[in-house]
Amino acid sequence: MKWIDLRSDTVTQPTPAMREVMAQAEVGDDVFEEDPTVNRLEAMAAELLGKEKALFVVSGTMANLVSLLTHCGRGNEIIMGDQAHIFLYEQAGCAALGGLQARTVKNQADGSMDLGAIEAAVRADNVHFPRTGLIALENTHNRCNGSPLNVDYVQAVSKIARHYKLKLHMDGARIFNAAAALGVPAKDLAGPADSVSFCLSKGLAAPVGSLVCGSHEFIAQARRNRKLVGGGMRQAGILAAAGIIALTEMVERLAEDHVHARQLAQGIAHIEGLKIDLGSVKTNIVYFEVANSRIGANEFSRLAAAQGIRVMPLGPRQLRAVTHYHISDADISRTLNSFQAILHHNKAV
Ligand code: TLP
């Protein structure tokens, strides 16, 4: 029986085309900036995001860390959402390694932060206060239903950043999902930000890697910070080759994942004992709850796994399912049938 793994789009495996180009990749020492395949990937990424330069890094976590270290100095404060991946899931790397303090602003269900609340969080110039250095956005917003932030909103935040002479970073781990959902080029979403990071290893199915994009000057310093955190790679062209396929062959198809997420959400809405806000599903991430049942999220995911389906429990009742390259129409039907059966056997008494 085939596993249907909906825990994350990070579980995607490299495509046959990726494996082929990886085997044949032309490589060099990337710390000397001599790997032609890495250089090609970085040029493509910069062009796609409308920035001067890009830097290939190991992961989304490293992309964010290097960006924050590059924009800010020790003791600076960073304004970010209270549901931001940087805040929740990155080991407080910016504090541990950069001496940076997170100032959280409440994230709304659509991943945005209220503009007034952002402005109110900017520190005044006072000897008691840390200096605010940066505002960080996340697009799409993982914990906020995979919601895309639109161009108007990003521009509005950028206006605040400019006004207070702050930098704006976008954790665009899934920026191409945002672009597909909104029907705009990714560079329009990236345009107002000083730096943007995005991942090759999620919905785009590459095995490893993320890119940081920004100005010449920013990337030169980010390159030093990548070395600082041990991220200088050598013949990384083998990985970059898969990244080039990710950008040329895998971006267009992301819309299919959104259709599957929608199908899954609609099916879940019809299952008694599961609860979902259908309007919240805009990209490839589906959050739902087990309600009116004898079981909670952990037990639900255990029972689903027993039927070959993996979902991620994220709270006592909340679960996450993420659609991706390996998930088909048939997989969505099988998943819904299994969910239905699990709930049927575990009705509330
Ligand atoms: N997210 C992973 C887990 O860490 C939760 C997932 O399965 O969704 N920014 C965002 C918005 C992310 O969702 C992630 C990964 C990252 C950064 C970090 O990327 P990696 O895992 O490459 O370090």
Side-chain angles (χ1 to χ4, degrees), residues 7-10 58-62 64 85-86 89-90 138-143 171-174 197 199 201-202 209-210 285 312 320 322:
R7 287 172 302 170
S8 181
D9 44 12
T10 59
V58 172
S59 64
T61 302
M62 186 182 279
N64 285 328
H85 195 277
I86 297 175
Y89 301 124
E90 299 186 9
E138 186 173 316
N139 204 6
T140 62
H141 201 295
N142 181 344
R143 271 306 269 150
D171 173 355
R174 297 183 180 85
S197 55
C199 295
S201 60
K202 299 197 164 60
S210 291
I285 302 184
M312 194 183 267
R320 184 182 82 160
V322 185

Side-chain angles (χ1 to χ4, degrees), residues 233-311:
M233 295 182 280
R234 300 295 178 177
Q235 285 71 38
I238 290 178
L239 300 173
I244 290 172
I245 298 289
L247 291 182
T248 49
E249 294 183 9
M250 303 301 282
V251 172
E252 288 291 308
R253 62 153 307 285
L254 289 174
E256 281 172 41
D257 299 340
H258 300 181
V259 171
H260 286 145
R262 192 90 212 133
Q263 285 167 358
L264 181 64
Q266 274 159 353
I268 288 173
H270 284 105
I271 298 176
E272 204 188 316
L274 294 182
K275 207 172 99 186
I276 186 163
D277 172 7
L278 264 183
S280 71
V281 181
K282 300 202 182 87
T283 59
N284 66 329
I285 302 184
V286 178
Y287 286 96
F288 61 100
E289 282 185 19
V290 197
N292 307 321
S293 172
R294 287 187 285 124
I295 55 170
N298 282 331
E299 182 64 1
F300 181 89
S301 78
R302 203 186 58 72
L303 293 169
Q307 299 200 34
I309 296 160
R310 291 188 167 123
V311 285

Side-chain angles (χ1 to χ4, degrees), residues 193-206:
D194 297 288
S195 59
V196 181
S197 55
F198 72 87
C199 295
L200 299 167
S201 60
K202 299 197 164 60
L204 303 182

